[in-house]
Amino acid sequence: NQNTDSAEGDKPVIGVTMLSMQNEFIVNVSDEIDKKAQEAGVELITVDAERSALKQIEQVESFIAQGVDAIIMNPCEVEASSPAVAKAQAAGIPIINVNSETATKPSAFVGSDDVESARIAMKYIAERLGGKGNVIMIHGYMGQAAQIKREQGAREVLKNYPDLKLIASQTGEWDRAKAMSLMENWIQSYGGQINAVFAHNDEMGMGAVNALTAAGMKDKVVVVSVDAIPDALQAVQKGTLDATVYQNAQQQGSQAIETALKILNKQPYEVQVLIPFQLVTKKNVAQFVK
Amino acid sequence: MKQTLTTLYRQTGSSYRKRVQGMGTFGILLAFVVICLALALSTPRFMTVSNLTIIVTQVSINALLAFGVTFVIITGGIDLSLGSMVAVTGVVAALFAHPDTYPLIVPLMMALGAGFLMGGFNGLVITRSKVPPFIVTLGTMTIGRGLALILSKGRPVSNLSDTFNFIGGGQVFGVPFPIIILIVVFVLCSLLLRKTIWGRYMYAVGGNEQAARASGIPIAKIKMLVYILSGLLAALAGIVLTSRITTGQPNAGQGFELDAIAAAIIGGTSTSGGSGTMTGTLIGALLIGVISNGLDLLNVTSYYQQVVMGVIIIGAVVLDGLNRKK
Amino acid sequence: MKQTLTTLYRQTGSSYRKRVQGMGTFGILLAFVVICLALALSTPRFMTVSNLTIIVTQVSINALLAFGVTFVIITGGIDLSLGSMVAVTGVVAALFAHPDTYPLIVPLMMALGAGFLMGGFNGLVITRSKVPPFIVTLGTMTIGRGLALILSKGRPVSNLSDTFNFIGGGQVFGVPFPIIILIVVFVLCSLLLRKTIWGRYMYAVGGNEQAARASGIPIAKIKMLVYILSGLLAALAGIVLTSRITTGQPNAGQGFELDAIAAAIIGGTSTSGGSGTMTGTLIGALLIGVISNGLDLLNVTSYYQQVVMGVIIIGAVVLDGLNRKK
Amino acid sequence: MTSSKPILQITHLSKSFGGIKALDDVQLTLHRGEVLALMGENGAGKSTLMKILMGLEKADAGEILFEGEPLKNRDVKDTLKKGISMIHQELLVVPELSVADNIFLGRETTRWLPGWINNEDIYQKTETLLGTLGVAIDPRMKMKYLSVAEMQMVEIAKAISNNARIIIMDEPTSALSDKEVASLFRMIKDLKTQGVAIIYISHKMEEIAQIADTITVLRDGQYIATKPAAELDRNALITLMVGRQIDLLFPVAIGKQEEVLLSVRHLTQPGKFSDVSFDLHAGEVLGLAGLMGAGRTEVARAIFGLDPLAGGEVFVKGLPVTIRSPQDAIRYGIGYVSEDRKALGCIPGMSVQHTLTLASLKHYAQWGFIEARSEEGAAELMVSELRIKTASLQQGVMQLIGGNQQKVVIGKVLLARPDIIILDEPTRGIDIGAKHEIYKLIRQLTERGIAVLMISSELPEITGLCDRVLVLSQGRQTALLDRSEATQEKIMAHAVHQQR
Ligand SMILES: Nc1ncnc2c1ncn2[C@@H]1O[C@H](COP(=O)(O)OP(=O)(O)OP(=O)(O)O)[C@@H](O)[C@H]1O
Ligand SMILES: Nc1ncnc2c1ncn2[C@@H]1O[C@H](COP(=O)(O)OP(=O)(O)OP(=O)(O)O)[C@@H](O)[C@H]1O
Ligand SMILES: [Mg+2]
Ligand SMILES: [Mg+2]
């Protein structure tokens, strides 16, 4: 069925370009899109942009050339992925952004605001420390949209707590091993001064937890990260990770495909579907674990 | 006795010298054609004007870098800093390309200047010290990435003028502008390599540095030249990329160096230096582009795409090798 | 007749014994010591037992890969698939390392087996075809990444047994287990390279392949051997990494190949083959690790870290070169 | 001649490499139209002196006057421009470039745009140039497809095409056959009449006798003497070079034994040679003679398993064997010393000891582990047996000078304990003293019952040393001569036999 030509087949064809199929959260969104598309009898062409905005634009160009009926894009970058939106719109093909935004407004947006996730995480840290203490931040890959927005959110909150000091920050490149090494080195230089760690994603949060556990310091340091991947949820349940921020992959995936179908069927649809983040701590973790 | 020799001796048969020149790119061209045919038969969407145009546009950035690294590899060097140079020059161009600030020439010259400086730095360290090009350009790769982030303060530089964005996104008589840049640069690089003394000297330096030295060829100058060319072409790629994604991305271009080197080697440039052609490199870049496009068109699942991509690239070069042996 | 010959080949007492060997790594060792001293003077936290232990633990993965690629580079090859092999073998190990499923030996053997197969594939293609190692291993790099994603379905494989996690996280008499692995492997690799016929053959193959062939050395077997060794060491690195981060990550190990190659070259292994030592490579890996740790300790801003890192690496190798010239 | 002002005058020139004094207070005087032979053993410093003259190396002290003007602070390009060119001892060619490109490398003619090469002009000039030299090579052919002899002719053409006032020829004939040598000598005579001065370096005494006007001798980096060629006979010259008398050049043969160690029948490799058959007896030296390109090396390579055989049989000690690789050959007790020691003998970066033991490493190893004592012992034995002059066993093999390097390569083959040894041009480029030692060594080996197949382009060597001579011509076997009938004339007659 992969070879059915979009022009002649009566099934609608939707092109999907995802930020990175090496990221668990994105894979979950993509799986949900697949599942919902199958139920609705829609043909999907799913491609992986491998975190490159350029590649993403090229993929959208290719979708346009193939004459797909709609495009779902999980943008790599706010600005750099924008030309893809513009191109789709110029070609008269509806384009739905899922998970994150682009500067150029798409036909519809389904997702959450990354800045918000960091705000939630940092507020939790501030509360746990009573608004006073030393915080360390582990960044995602520098210059990427998610890193920039999560940093922005964290700094907004820090401004409200003058006694909460950011003593060090460094990139862990979204990677557990890198974050772990980074944390090990920080433990050497700051030792007991560290009160909390905010990591831009769970992978890095888990790396920090590993390093702190090995140094026997986990009890004294609060670690919070974003995404709520299964590993992180398990850690929250065990109490090693203090909190994570849940982003609803299922909702994002299913809403994206539903919005696309509504547009194709000329039904009314919401231009902005916001799916809220949720803080996951030991208290409420049970409802997220499957 | 000497006399008898001179009169009677004659040069023996010259059977082995049938190949005079220019057979080098034939094998990979064949592999390329085979792959194109296979794709054309598998999906009707492949052999359309619009799709082929898209492929060439997409290939242009990698091809520009591959041309630069072809010069470098011919002299026996390597340039791993290409990707970072793309990022730095792209950010520099973007910083000067906001609407209503400077005329178009300014961001272009600034980006090319940045590429010139980075390439010149590579060349200078390589010619002045005994440090292998691999390490020097690996160092520059890291330095460049840092510079791109410093210059952009870690954020994408957006809001670029329409004239600037035309470079990567515009069309002239229906032909995307990057394709025009690609063709012009290809012709210039080919001519430089094949028709000028500098091109000739590059082959000499990479083919036998001692022989080049004994012939009075300025080895250091030629090496400087190729790294600077590599820097300038990376700057051009950075400009096209930035204009195409309408943003200067400090994290752009990661891994571009490997793709570019792969294109050059697939196209027959030998890593040990002294041989290679721009035509080969262009075919190498097109080959990679066509495979990548074809796999998307055939809707091969992304994980399997990587497997198939790797297998086809190895297969194409094996085919090339078999063909050469005959 | 053999009798008369054996008299010719009889041993006599040793008279020549001048030590000219072992100067090769001196320069980079000096650079390494200088950097360590500079760091020790800049921050008191550097020269502590716990910090040095952490550095060596962190270095262990890169060092394991660098040992493997040192063998490969000595024979004149290159292995770009290291990072992908780390990912594949790590995922494979993780798949068999869930608690209460298989005994510890199973994930270990499966991972080493995967490394063996991938290295063997590299070796087979390289020895059977004319395709340059750069392209073959670049292809395997792509294929391996795809395989890791297919095997793990794109998701980290977590929930590993405590015995498995001991490999990367445990300690023996206060010494982290990765350090013990590092030391054992270093000693074995050194012995293999310096004391066995296979090590000698590797130098011969890389130094002059034609001469090695004429001396009756089985070139293809030696090349197979080095790529398989590289695969096995990558598997070991994959096991240590997976155990250290307690998950099998399909996207782990990206860019590891460049770090490993850098360590080998910084340590004096020549990219043109025929020279290099395991001690040099170890120092190269430690150098990179020390710089990275030092920059974190000094809390250098992340953008500048990259710039400083690049400058120091180039600088260290320049220093090495200056030292060698004298 | 001596009365005119010299075109070149070198005085008090010194040069050391690290601790080694390569040149110590050396002098040299050259006049217009003179052929000066620069003589000396391997490592005497001849090439170094010439490289300094070219500006490829810097002197530590001394002065060079070219037409009365001191040559200072210049690079190779300036030297070439001044009209001094050099044919280098080692072939310096760029394999991927064409013949014409190689000849005009660095001196390309341009047109239209700065740097734009005028290829037609270069090709045309090359064709004329090669024509006057009497070589038929396509100027457009890539250098890598040429035989070594052809490459050497191209290098000669390159030096001559510079309109040079002085041409340095550093062993220009090491890979040339007599035909090319003759045309080179004709060329030299032409150049002389045009007033060009030539510095000629060679280890071949016959050549020196033919063309040299004056002979300057160096020994161990020191200036020994300059004499008119006519005043020096062969023995006097050797005494100057070596510093002692060398008596009998070719040691006497003991005579072959009956046992046939190697016999080959109908060996064939299309395009290279066909139907080659011979027997090699224990204790004999069988010479393999022929012109350049006759296919001698190819026969040797095929027997040794370096190239595949298309047809024919090989028997070792009467048993049929199939040799697919050098490994097989070594196992059957065959050893091969290649004509190209750089390409096939030595491994750059390896020490003397490691090179010596490379082909026999398994003998010193247990479970793959090399026993250091036993390896070192073997290497030491070879160093003393073959009188290899080396600072230590750890000395790099590439740092050794000519004759000693060749001895190391022979030692490597010997340590694998072969019964049959194939020597391909074993004395190419090595000095008279070392040659003599290698001749003695060959005879020592045959006394031990080893069979030797020796390929040589130097006829005196073939007639002086061999028990029997097999002659190849264009890949076909044209004669098998006994020592008594093997005169130089007869061998040559068979070597050119069948030529169309
Ligand atoms: N680049 C170098 N580094 C160190 N030593 C050198 C170098 N070049 C030459 N030598 C040494 O200088 C001495 C003179 O060498 P040179 O090549 O000039 O001798 P030659 O007379 O040309 O010998 P041959 O007849 O073998 O060509 C030798 O001992 C040689 O090992
Ligand atoms: N690189 C090459 N490729 C193909 N054929 C070659 C090559 N070099 C030489 N030949 C051919 O192979 C044949 C034998 O060459 P070669 O000169 O080695 O013979 P030879 O008898 O061993 O001479 P010598 O030992 O004096 O060099 C000739 O016909 C020659 O033209
Ligand atoms: Mg010499
Ligand atoms: Mg020969």
Side-chain angles (χ1 to χ4, degrees), chain D residues 120-135:
Chain D
E120 282 72 50
D121 183 57
I122 290 175
Y123 288 137
Q124 222 219 305
K125 279 186 184 155
T126 305
E127 218 164 325
T128 329
L129 188 64
L130 292 176
T132 53
L133 273 170
V135 244

Side-chain angles (χ1 to χ4, degrees), chain D residues 9-15 25-26 52 58-65 70-72:
Chain D
Q9 197 155 23
I10 300 177
T11 44
H12 305 301
L13 200 90
S14 297
K15 166 81 182 172
D25 197 17
V26 166
I52 291 171
K58 267 203 163 63
D60 300 337
E63 194 182 39
I64 301 174
L65 292 177
L71 282 180
K72 265 190 200 146

Side-chain angles (χ1 to χ4, degrees), chain D residues 17 22 41-48 57 89 171 203 399 401-402:
Chain D
F17 291 107
E41 290 184 289
N42 292 127
K46 307 178 294 287
S47 300
T48 306
E57 298 274 5
Q89 182 172 10
E171 302 193 29
H203 291 292
Q399 269 81 58
I401 48 173

Side-chain angles (χ1 to χ4, degrees), chain D residues 15-31:
Chain D
K15 166 81 182 172
S16 343
F17 291 107
I20 307 156
K21 269 210 148 176
L23 292 172
D24 186 8
D25 197 17
V26 166
Q27 64 185 71
L28 185 146
T29 310
L30 184 68
H31 296 86

Side-chain angles (χ1 to χ4, degrees), chain A residues 19 51-54 56-57 73-86 97 99-106 109 112-115 143-150 152, chain B residues 155-159 245-249 251:
Chain A
L19 163 74
R51 293 195 186 277
S52 156
L54 176 67
Q56 191 151 51
I57 294 172
M73 176 166 83
N74 168 207
C76 295
E77 297 293 340
V78 180
E79 287 291 342
S81 294
S82 288
V85 176
N97 282 0
N99 181 250
S100 56
E101 301 162 25
T102 54
T104 307
K105 285 275 157 279
F109 169 75
S112 328
D113 179 10
D114 262 326
V115 182
Q144 281 178 353
Q147 177 268 324
I148 294 171
K149 294 199 158 187
R150 287 175 194 176
Q152 186 193 332
Chain B
R155 274 143 213 278
V157 182
S158 54
N159 182 26
I245 62 177
T246 65
T247 341
Q249 283 281 137
N251 56 357

